[in-house]
């Protein structure tokens, strides 16, 4: 199976980055303007995108102060797992370590998701550092 692994330094407090990952306001600030974000293990994240006929559903399988794990339940992420880890950087800010695991192959869809995550994390970094939401197009 193929995995996507990324990390980036964000000049923000750990709580700010966690809120960007775990709240509706946060996810709507960098990922998609149409998000319903549940709280706690067993809850669901539902993400919708213009032009995509079905919302993507992810189940929270682990949720802590510095770690979030989501399991894809449908659509192109079915059977995959996303893990976010927030680590302190001694010089200030945090390191966000991300793994999206369980893709069946390194095919074109996998390569598109790799590129997609890179663009989303650029938006996440900007949102966490400035508080300004990303512009989304309907």
């Amino acid at each position: 199976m193929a995995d996507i692994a990324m990390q980036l330094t964000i000049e923000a407090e750990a709580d700010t980055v966690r809120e960007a990952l775990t709240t509706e306001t946060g996810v709507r600030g960098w990922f998609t303007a149409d998000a319903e974000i549940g709280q706690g293990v067993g809850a669901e994240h539902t993400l919708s995108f213009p032009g995509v006929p079905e919302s993507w559903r992810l189940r929270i399988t682990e949720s802590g102060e510095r770690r979030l794990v989501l399991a894809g339940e449908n659509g192109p992420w079915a059977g995959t797992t996303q893990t976010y880890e927030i680590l302190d950087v001694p010089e200030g800010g945090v390191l966000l370590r991300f793994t999206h695991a369980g893709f069946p192959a390194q095919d074109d869809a996998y390569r598109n998701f790799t590129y997609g995550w890179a663009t989303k994390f650029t938006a996440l970094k900007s949102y966490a550092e400035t508080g300004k939401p990303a512009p989304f197009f309907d």
Side-chain angles (χ1 to χ4, degrees), residues 48-122:
S48 300
F49 304 90
V52 177
E54 181 181 19
S55 297
W56 297 356
R57 295 184 322 276
L58 302 121
R59 183 78 50 197
I60 300 171
T61 61
E62 187 178 333
S63 181
E65 290 298 314
R66 300 289 184 119
R67 186 175 163 92
L68 174 67
V69 181
L70 303 170
E73 294 196 328
N74 72 323
W77 290 346
T80 67
T81 303
Q82 299 171 22
T83 302
Y84 300 83
E85 296 176 287
I86 302 168
L87 308 168
D88 288 324
V89 175
E91 301 80 32
V94 298
L95 179 72
L96 178 64
R97 194 169 280 165
F98 171 78
T99 305
H100 194 167
F103 288 96
Q106 289 184 6
D107 58 8
D108 287 344
Y110 169 84
R111 287 177 177 85
N112 286 338
F113 281 121
T114 301
Y115 172 76
W117 277 121
T119 62
K120 290 298 183 185
F121 283 139
T122 300

Side-chain angles (χ1 to χ4, degrees), residues 16 18-32 37 124 127:
T16 300
R18 176 164 174 62
E19 287 179 19
L21 299 172
T22 63
T23 67
E24 282 185 16
T25 300
V27 173
R28 289 175 178 175
W30 68 277
F31 199 85
T32 180
I37 304 301
L124 171 59
Y127 175 69

